[in-house]
Amino acid sequence: MSTDEKKNGSGGFDSDWSIDWSQSDEMDLNLDDIDDPQDLERQFWAPYAESHPEDTRAIPTVGRIQPKQSNPTGAPHRQPAPRDYPEDDYDDGLTERELRRAQRERRKESKRKRRRLPAPLKALIYIVFVIGGSVLLATVGWVAANDVLALNKAETTAYIEISDTSTLTEVSQELKSENIIEYPWLFRLYCVLTDSLDELNAGAYEVNTDMDYHALCSALSTSSTAKASVDVTIPEGYTVDQIFVLLVEKGVCESTEELEEIAATHDYAFDFLEDVPLGDYHRLEGYLFPDTYTFYIGHDPLYVINKMLVNFDSQFTSDMEEQAADLGYSVYEILTVASIIEKETNGTDMRNIAAVIYNRLSSTETLGKLQMDSTIQYVLERTGVGRKDELESTDFEIDSPYNTCLYAGLPEGPICNPSLSSIQAALSPNDVDYLYYFHDNSGDAHFYADYDTFLSEMELYLSDDYVPEEDDTNYEAFEDE
């Protein structure tokens, strides 16, 4: 393209350029080297504008110079709309890629502007959003308030068990599963913010849907009186092992092992236990007083055992201790005698049985051996064999300090936990000289001082053909005095 063509506006350059071409020689501008209007702006206008700030004739066109569009149809030429380039698009340091990126950003911005909603519509959407959000928040708040305040809930009662390792999350989930609360996260948040739940205490608690969050926290705290409880009757004559199994079955304790551990190792502060060594849980045999107790579900084994020991301490009075001393026996030995009475009696012959025990201990005829079947049964229980309906000859030969057929004197300790009646019988035996007795098929006891009479009468009473007569004087004579 010639310089004249460029000045005349032909050859593709816009004839409307606002350039004073008469000054091209003065500006040292070589128009033969310019084929693109953008090159013209870079080479001419940028340096020219810097050196001639007073010349504002072409400033509005800077950055807007466009090549003339071809018009093969001959239609009137229309000037294309100027494009709004960024101020630094044509800096000498920009690359072609950077220019294209800037143009893409302008197109995106243009699209965003075209997508803008009218102001009234935006205002309407905002109002709808505010009203809808308020309604939603009010609904959620009301539902949450119902849960916190225990409103509009179906009547439900449940027992919540808490172990030593339970967490607040686990407890809240259990409350949810039992339909006591609806939102575990809200319950946890309430507990944290209000500090209502001081500490989780192991145990079982009775809760219901009438309790609001505050009442639930109070019920599950260490000072709670809402723990679930159960009444447990310890039968007279139960052994320590039987008592521990019963406590676990009733849900008072989790396992017999934890009860055994406490019984064997904890040094309870009672005078009657001062001389009883630690190490074996059977050391408490005889001291777990049979009675009806109210225990918490999941109660601490230490306090469960302590409760029974406290009861024994209140039942075995100082007068009883004096009676034991007058007989020449310790409290532990009196309990041993009472435990044998408990296992041998039918309930009507306790004082006579007590007399037989003391008489045999001091008799040369019996060599001080009690020879009581109940002690052999206890040996079988302790060795894991279990009680038998009928003892075998080999059972009497078991080497055990509780085998009163092998060893003279009292067994090593009590063979069960006796009732108060058996303890009183042990302290007040009848003044008789009986050394022998047996129970007939009806369970009645017959007592004798003479061994031969004992054998003959036992054979008679225990025979299948024996029918006691109404005027049988011997039968009446064997009743407990």
Side-chain angles (χ1 to χ4, degrees), residues 9-56:
S10 59
F13 281 85
D14 192 345
S15 60
D16 294 331
W17 285 359
S18 54
I19 300 175
D20 187 357
W21 298 110
S22 63
Q23 301 180 34
S24 59
D25 296 332
E26 175 187 343
M27 288 185 260
D28 195 21
L29 181 64
N30 186 1
L31 296 178
D32 293 331
D33 297 332
I34 299 177
D35 292 320
D36 189 326
Q38 295 178 1
D39 291 336
L40 175 63
E41 187 173 36
R42 290 192 188 94
Q43 295 183 30
F44 170 70
W45 285 113
Y48 180 83
E50 283 185 327
S51 60
H52 298 77
E54 73 284 352
D55 187 357
T56 59

Side-chain angles (χ1 to χ4, degrees), residues 214-254:
H214 179 74
L216 287 173
C217 290
S218 298
L220 301 176
S221 67
T222 54
S223 58
S224 171
T225 58
K227 283 187 176 181
S229 60
V230 60
D231 291 335
V232 179
T233 298
I234 308 296
E236 298 170 345
Y238 256 35
T239 64
V240 167
D241 290 288
Q242 289 174 309
I243 291 174
F244 287 175
V245 169
L246 178 62
L247 291 172
V248 173
E249 289 176 350
K250 294 293 186 179
V252 176
C253 298
E254 293 185 0

